Amino acid sequence: MRRRAAVASVIASAGVLIAGFQVGAAVTAGRTTTSSGTGTGSSGSTAGTGSTGSTSSGSTGSTGSTGATGSSAKDGTFKGTTVQTPFGPMQVAAVISGGKIADVKVLQRTDQGGRSVQISNQADPMLRSEVLQAQSANVSTIGGATYTSEGYLQSLQSALDQAGFTG
Amino acid sequence: MTIQNPTRPAVSPAGGSLSPRARFRRRSAISDLLVVIAWVSGPVAASLYLASGGLADVKDMGSFFTALGIVTGLIGTDFILLMLVLAARVPLIDRAVGHDRAIGLHRQLGKPALYLILAHAALLLIGYGMSSGFNPIAEIGPMLALPDMITAVVGTALLIAVVVTSLVAVRRKFPYEFWHVIHLLSYAAVLFALPHQLSIGGTLADGTVQRVYWIGLYVLAIGAIVIFRIAVPLFKSWAHDIRVQQVQWISPDVASIHLTGRDLRALGAGGGQFLIWRFWSAGTWWHSHPISLSALPTDRHARITVRVLGRGTRRLTAVKPGTRVSFAGPYGIFTDAARTSPKLAIVAAGIGITPARALLEGSQLARGEATVLVRSSTDDETFLWSEMRKLAEARGAELFAMVGPRARNSWMSQHDAARGVTLRSVFPDLDRSDLYVCGPQRWAEAVVADARAAGLPEHQIHLESFEL
């Protein structure tokens, strides 16, 4: 009888782990498509984002010459929406110049707990260089800074959408 | 009310009509299911992390250690919650595997759970350290600044205290009360650890299925403790209103405590079960004792029999008539309900006679179905034997007595060991019997070893040992 319980435990455990892995793979795939898509509706955002989303939608920066390079993106600085992460709000602005992402500026960074400030300080420049290189918000997150990365990239995507930047 | 017949109390209705074999199959199915649920809860905890897409974050050594740290934390906490459920004396668990096996698993899980929690802390420090290029020690400060980390650290410290004081070597050095008070802190440890699990990390983030499951586990574990360790015993103690009637010495160091109460038959105590008693007198209220019933309760009367082993039991035998008694239970499967085979064999020694006597009294037996062997080293130890003899006669059971000093490397008396008595010569139908062994731990284990050597399968051996 003990053997029966042991065998059942092993089989059930394997099943549970495989199921968990499958769900995880699906979740990860879903996450990637979301960040490369429209960039609206941050899944991690809480009730507070309703107001921040609307207030930060306005873009600063004058619209410059457009269409010079063939890209439909307007030049200027575009603020992304504020994304709530477990470690505080995250907001970036995209600087578009000549139809390209010229720079990413961090307006608000996760600041809850000393560790997250440290992570943020470290992850921000890494994300910036990845984004500039890829010319897209569709880059992989920084290990150990998942929340910061996701907040950063989501906010950036919304800024790029406002600029009409399609890459 | 019908007429009560004190020598033939009602047998517990549960499974009364089923054959021992069918009852055993049902019980072992439940027991196996519980075992599977218990072990699979560990992988489920790990799966919570996998299902949250955690593996996608593993990109280098640092994030690998971080992931491992999260998983060890989840499994370690799952084990601790499992330990709470095992210690909660849930009736379903007690009936399926017995209180002692549940507590045995509880004890086994203590150290692994602590190691997993310590590994959780260490691996996350290493993981964070590698990711940010600092050494792990430098991560301690920033990590403590995370939300709810202080309570988590306090919880871990309490957990260490609980496990260390429970190590056999350490536990012996302190009085029971000290261990008990420290052990109660494990509830605090579990609760202190909860906030950081919910506020840090993505696995149990707000709005996830994982969070609902995890909080469900907590509710289950804490709920089981509150209901079965606190609410039910309080209510039963109040409802049955048990008081000491008299203390009766039946040998130089053994006393029967007669108890009166309301509707005691409704306790549903099977012969061979024990309750955990607390006597509300000045010297005894702070200590509870697990003691077997030495007779099946009637409506108004119950009896327990104790041997004086130390100060605690000495005080117990000095309680005055009228003393209020609270209790938890009944517990244990040293009962008729655990039968698997057509015949019944009982071996009892010393104070082990108490549950053996109640077992015989509570069993529905055909003539010749049961055989009893009572054992003692001296004539002083033959308390309750006369009652046992009368019961055996009434139940059509055969009774053998074995008196005399113990032989070397045997559980038998020198005399009987020398003349070639064996388990099989006492119980010719051993293979078709359930063997119930009850007595001092060492001795009882020797009997069980003998039974195993004779080829008796595990499910036909029922052991209730008394630690001396």
Side-chain angles (χ1 to χ4, degrees):
Chain A
M1 286 306 158
R2 280 208 181 135
R3 185 181 297 160
R4 181 173 77 179
V7 169
S9 297
V10 169
I11 293 171
S13 298
V16 162
L17 288 173
I18 290 168
F21 181 80
Q22 291 292 343
V23 172
V27 166
T28 313
R31 205 186 276 157
T32 320
T33 48
T34 310
S35 60
S36 63
T38 57
T40 54
S42 52
S43 59
S45 64
T46 47
T49 47
S51 56
T52 53
S54 58
T55 53
S56 57
S57 60
S59 60
T60 58
S62 54
T63 42
S65 57
T66 56
T69 58
S71 164
S72 60
K74 298 168 277 192
D75 278 4
T77 304
F78 299 89
K79 271 190 195 173
T81 54
T82 307
V83 176
Q84 294 294 335
T85 78
F87 297 115
M90 187 82 206
Q91 188 186 21
V92 300
V95 179
I96 308 290
S97 171
K100 287 194 160 185
I101 305 174
D103 195 7
V104 183
K105 286 175 181 163
V106 176
L107 303 177
Q108 285 189 72
R109 63 165 44 115
T110 54
D111 59 353
Q112 279 170 21
R115 159 117 188 117
S116 73
V117 173
Q118 190 189 28
I119 288 178
S120 208
N121 284 340
Q122 210 190 345
D124 293 349
M126 291 162 81
L127 286 164
R128 179 180 170 276
S129 66
E130 277 195 57
V131 167
L132 294 185
Q133 204 174 11
Q135 285 296 305
S136 160
N138 188 15
V139 297
S140 59
T141 56
I142 305 295
T146 317
Y147 286 112
T148 302
S149 305
E150 281 173 3
Y152 185 106
L153 296 174
Q154 253 175 38
S155 183
L156 174 64
Q157 185 62 52
S158 72
L160 296 181
D161 290 343
Q162 285 167 39
F165 181 86
T166 51
Chain B
M1 274 290 138
T2 51
I3 300 161
Q4 306 295 341
N5 181 350
T7 56
R8 279 269 172 155
V11 189
S12 62
S17 56
L18 288 170
S19 74
R21 193 81 213 163
R23 258 185 293 169
F24 166 58
R25 259 192 232 114
R26 193 174 65 177
R27 196 167 63 83
S28 67
I30 296 173
S31 146
D32 282 354
L33 185 66
L34 290 173
V35 167
V36 172
I37 291 173
W39 287 121
V40 173
S41 74
V44 167
S47 251
L48 297 182
Y49 174 73
L50 294 178
S52 71
L55 277 189
D57 296 335
V58 177
K59 297 184 179 87
D60 50 22
M61 281 308 274
S63 50
F64 172 74
F65 278 115
T66 303
L68 215 56
I70 293 169
V71 171
T72 50
L74 286 166
I75 298 179
T77 306
D78 177 79
F79 278 9
I80 292 170
L81 295 176
L82 190 60
M83 288 171 72
L84 287 189
V85 173
L86 288 168
R89 305 179 193 143
V90 181
L92 176 73
I93 297 175
D94 181 58
R95 276 200 297 266
V97 301
H99 181 65
D100 49 351
R101 246 186 88 191
I103 289 299
L105 183 57
H106 170 93
R107 286 193 183 132
Q108 277 178 9
L109 283 174
K111 269 199 262 181
L114 178 64
Y115 292 154
L116 282 165
I117 295 299
L118 293 179
H120 162 69
L123 287 167
L124 284 176
L125 284 174
I126 294 170
Y128 282 16
M130 288 175 89
S131 293
S132 59
F134 290 106
N135 65 45
I137 306 300
E139 291 297 321
I140 293 175
M143 192 175 270
L144 284 179
L146 286 173
D148 305 316
M149 271 311 292
I150 301 295
T151 50
V153 170
V154 173
T156 311
L158 292 177
L159 187 66
I160 294 172
V162 168
V163 176
V164 167
T165 53
S166 296
L167 299 175
V168 176
V170 180
R171 192 175 162 179
R172 285 213 183 106
K173 290 203 177 84
F174 296 102
Y176 167 85
E177 292 73 28
F178 175 79
W179 167 84
H180 190 65
V181 168
I182 299 283
H183 223 70
L184 289 178
L185 292 176
S186 50
Y187 303 131
V190 169
L191 290 176
F192 275 147
L194 182 60
H196 93 283
Q197 299 166 12
L198 299 178
S199 63
I200 308 175
T203 305
L204 307 175
D206 215 357
T208 56
V209 179
Q210 281 91 333
R211 193 184 184 90
V212 175
Y213 172 82
W214 203 248
I215 293 174
L217 276 191
Y218 261 81
V219 169
L220 195 77
I222 304 282
I225 294 279
V226 169
I227 291 172
F228 297 114
R229 292 283 302 251
I230 301 170
V232 170
L234 271 180
F235 174 76
K236 278 193 181 175
S237 294
W238 169 79
H240 292 286
D241 190 30
I242 295 183
R243 281 156 204 280
V244 174
Q245 187 183 37
Q246 67 163 126
V247 177
Q248 173 196 14
W249 288 93
I250 56 174
S251 101
D253 63 346
V254 177
S256 281
I257 304 177
H258 294 261
L259 305 165
T260 56
R262 247 197 318 255
D263 200 14
L264 297 182
R265 226 176 260 258
L267 283 172
Q273 286 197 300
F274 67 94
L275 291 88
I276 296 175
W277 305 92
R278 194 181 289 275
F279 292 78
W280 290 90
S281 74
T284 55
W285 66 269
W286 39 267
H287 203 328
S288 62
H289 299 265
I291 303 169
S292 296
L293 292 164
S294 56
L296 282 189
T298 60
D299 269 339
R300 298 278 311 150
H301 181 251
R303 187 184 74 178
I304 56 177
T305 303
V306 289
R307 158 169 266 161
V308 174
L309 295 168
R311 253 185 306 165
T313 37
R314 168 70 62 194
R315 286 202 196 97
L316 215 57
T317 54
V319 289
K320 300 227 156 42
T323 303
R324 187 179 275 281
V325 184
S326 66
F327 64 93
Y331 302 119
I333 51 169
F334 193 77
T335 64
D336 194 38
R339 288 282 298 278
T340 68
S341 306
K343 295 256 182 173
L344 174 62
I346 300 174
V347 189
I351 193 70
I353 189 82
T354 53
R357 184 205 169 283
L359 170 69
L360 186 65
E361 186 182 16
S363 298
Q364 265 183 331
L365 297 169
R367 190 151 282 277
E369 182 176 335
T371 308
V372 182
L373 174 63
V374 285
R375 161 94 182 92
S376 86
S377 300
T378 66
D379 285 331
D380 272 352
E381 305 256 287
T382 58
F383 47 88
L384 296 182
W385 282 26
S386 57
E387 288 186 18
M388 198 70 165
R389 216 164 273 140
K390 276 183 206 143
L391 265 175
E393 217 162 279
R395 294 280 185 277
E398 238 183 319
L399 183 114
F400 297 105
M402 192 187 273
V403 184
R406 197 168 144 183
R408 257 171 178 280
N409 303 322
S410 169
W411 53 272
M412 285 182 276
S413 67
Q414 287 168 1
H415 175 71
D416 284 320
R419 72 189 180 98
V421 172
T422 64
L423 215 46
R424 272 187 197 285
S425 71
V426 181
F427 306 107
D429 273 331
L430 188 65
D431 294 329
R432 295 173 54 239
S433 300
D434 279 302
L435 179 68
Y436 284 74
V437 185
C438 193
Q441 191 168 7
R442 281 267 183 80
W443 173 87
E445 279 167 4
V447 179
V448 168
D450 203 7
R452 283 189 188 129
L456 200 62
E458 214 52 40
H459 65 261
Q460 282 171 251
I461 301 174
H462 309 270
L463 171 69
E464 183 95 326
S465 66
F466 286 71
E467 287 183 45
L468 289 177

